[in-house]
Amino acid sequence: MISVKAPGKLYIAGEYAVVETGFPAIIVALDQFVTVTIQSADQIGSIVSSQYQENSIYWRREDGEMVFDNRDNPFHYILSAIKVTEDYAKTLGKDLGIYHLTVESDLDSKDGRKYGLGSSAAVTVATIKALCKFYDLPVNHDKLFKLAAIAHFHVQGNGSLGDIAASVYGGWIAYRSFDRDWLKLAEKNYNFAEMLSMDWPGLDIELLTPPKNLKLLVGWTGSPASTSHLVDRVALNKAKRQQAYQDFLTNSKACLKRMIEGFRNQDLHAIQAEIAVNRKLLNELDQFTQAHIETPLLKKLCDIAEEFGGIAKTSGAGGGDCGIAIIDSHKQLNQLIEKWAANQIIPLRFNVHHVEE
Ligand code: PMV
Ligand code: MG
């Protein structure tokens, strides 16, 4: 039996800008996992996941047809991950087998609500990792990222794939996304072996080391948000406000550059100052796109963190899910956490997870 796991993630800074090729974000992997197990079978295989079931779907009408939106359903990422890995196995001349594949996830709360820790990315990475073992396919972090990015992109189509990078590499990373228009063309022109061994334009992943006194706190608002719908909304509105959008991109890039420098210099104050700048930039984006990134509860989360000497912001697409606070580990963390809890913000006591090569 093969059993592998892949971690969930949280965005620290650079959200939305990172959707554009080459614009940086900082992302962290957490010790909450999706676990995939595979066991050989005869004749008939199965895919079983108690968390991820197709019990409701979104659809719209296009030219008289029902068109399904599978982007928020992890089951479709499992299927896409299987297809990509088996295509890769075929190019290496492997015989395909029959198996039972089981998926377990910590990334959802007990009552089934999503924390927003990137379950679709983690499930994609874990499925591919497990199948690479099953078929004995050569992979390293770089190849695993590329396979998972292809599989995820086939379903979601509009993200930066930063959550895939965090799940593959672990720890703290600075991530710049590759050109996804290039990927669409490249898939038509190269085979898998070529795609996995070439440099992808724009892609850059740097491992970061946080200062020793940096403590990351995570607060959950209890309400789920759809990243793909929020990213769509920003994309629809950016066309109307081109200058404001270009300014947002420029400012976000400069802010992230200084924040990454803060990590390289082990300078907590510099990192915190840029978290505050990034929050302000995201609030400006929020205003001209009407995406509702910083909800009233996320604002409260930030205000409370500041009261206790922390600096906080929304994490990821916002609109619910989680917020993060960066605080000196010597400050009174318990008081902050208690006040969050007293204000309907659920502290998630997760730690950063490091992945072995
Ligand atoms: O809400 P999350 O944690 O899935 O993060 C989304 C981050 C965005 O930059 C808004 C989108 C993306 O794909 O990078
Ligand atoms: Mg989210």
Side-chain angles (χ1 to χ4, degrees):
M1 193 171 87
I2 289 164
S3 178
V4 303
K5 55 183 191 170
K9 64 84 191 59
L10 273 181
Y11 273 85
I12 301 298
E15 296 92 341
Y16 291 100
V18 68
V19 173
E20 305 286 349
T21 303
F23 283 80
I26 294 177
I27 317 162
V28 74
L30 297 177
D31 60 352
Q32 297 293 299
F33 303 96
V34 168
T35 306
V36 170
T37 38
I38 299 185
Q39 206 160 12
S40 292
D42 312 319
Q43 314 277 334
I44 293 182
S46 62
I47 302 170
V48 177
S49 166
S50 52
Q51 282 91 355
Y52 304 143
Q53 292 174 0
E54 179 113 50
N55 49 16
S56 59
I57 45 176
Y58 290 97
W59 60 274
R60 56 182 196 282
R61 180 84 57 201
E62 251 175 44
D63 301 330
E65 298 294 322
M66 241 180 174
V67 177
F68 299 103
D69 187 341
N70 295 325
R71 297 177 302 176
D72 289 324
N73 188 330
F75 213 81
H76 289 271
Y77 295 89
I78 301 172
L79 297 178
S80 183
I82 293 172
K83 164 118 182 55
V84 164
T85 318
E86 294 206 336
D87 283 350
Y88 177 44
K90 276 192 244 169
T91 64
L92 297 175
K94 303 275 179 184
D95 291 331
L96 298 183
I98 300 196
Y99 45 84
H100 298 298
L101 188 146
T102 312
V103 182
E104 283 294 324
S105 168
D106 308 330
L107 304 186
D108 305 84
S109 80
K110 295 233 162 33
D111 62 8
R113 284 185 295 172
K114 279 161 63 122
Y115 293 132
L117 298 182
S119 42
S120 60
V123 82
T124 307
V125 172
T127 304
I128 293 177
K129 245 192 199 174
L131 276 173
C132 284
K133 266 200 171 162
F134 185 72
Y135 288 123
D136 194 20
L137 310 178
V139 274
N140 54 17
H141 281 174
D142 178 60
K143 287 193 168 63
L144 179 60
F145 170 80
K146 287 172 177 165
L147 287 166
I150 293 169
H152 197 280
F153 187 63
H154 285 170
V155 184
Q156 188 181 329
N158 70 356
S160 67
L161 288 319
D163 42 6
I164 296 276
S167 190
V168 169
Y169 285 84
W172 295 75
I173 60 167
Y175 172 79
R176 289 174 181 77
S177 71
F178 56 91
D179 183 342
R180 276 132 293 150
D181 290 332
W182 170 85
L183 180 65
K184 283 186 211 153
L185 276 178
E187 280 197 86
K188 294 197 186 107
N189 288 285
Y190 302 111
N191 66 33
F192 255 108
E194 288 168 329
M195 294 272 294
L196 296 189
S197 56
M198 64 176 49
D199 282 340
W200 287 18
L203 176 63
D204 188 49
I205 299 164
E206 178 190 354
L207 305 181
L208 301 175
T209 307
K212 286 209 169 42
N213 57 341
L214 182 155
K215 178 72 188 160
L216 170 67
L217 298 177
V218 183
W220 182 44
T221 61
S223 55
S226 164
T227 299
S228 46
H229 290 107
L230 282 154
V231 172
D232 278 354
R233 185 182 292 227
V234 169
L236 281 171
N237 285 307
K238 79 181 190 194
K240 290 187 227 147
R241 297 295 306 274
Q242 286 190 25
Q243 191 55 50
Y245 184 69
Q246 287 309 323
D247 291 346
F248 163 73
L249 290 182
T250 311
N251 293 334
S252 177
K253 190 180 218 166
C255 167
L256 266 287
K257 199 170 167 226
R258 294 188 300 265
M259 201 183 295
I260 292 166
E261 222 25 63
F263 277 86
R264 291 187 190 132
N265 297 332
Q266 299 286 290
D267 182 346
L268 178 62
H269 286 293
I271 295 168
Q272 286 182 313
E274 298 309 328
I275 293 282
V277 171
N278 198 224
R279 178 183 176 202
K280 192 172 143 271
L281 295 174
L282 286 165
N283 281 338
E284 286 166 12
L285 177 76
D286 213 347
Q287 266 173 19
F288 68 80
T289 57
Q290 298 299 315
H292 308 300
I293 299 168
E294 189 175 297
T295 61
L297 198 53
L298 283 166
K299 180 176 184 308
K300 177 150 255 165
L301 177 153
C302 296
D303 292 345
I304 293 172
E306 279 181 17
E307 251 180 69
F308 294 94
I311 300 288
K313 63 182 275 301
T314 55
S315 169
D321 286 342
C322 297
I324 52 119
I326 301 279
I327 186 163
D328 189 320
S329 55
H330 304 101
K331 298 235 180 217
Q332 290 166 329
L333 309 181
N334 283 338
Q335 290 181 3
L336 190 167
I337 287 169
E338 277 162 24
K339 189 149 185 193
W340 270 359
N343 283 275
Q344 280 73 53
I345 297 152
I346 299 135
L348 299 179
R349 292 168 198 270
F350 302 152
N351 295 304
V352 175
H353 175 73
H354 296 273
V355 174
E356 309 276 306
E357 174 78 51

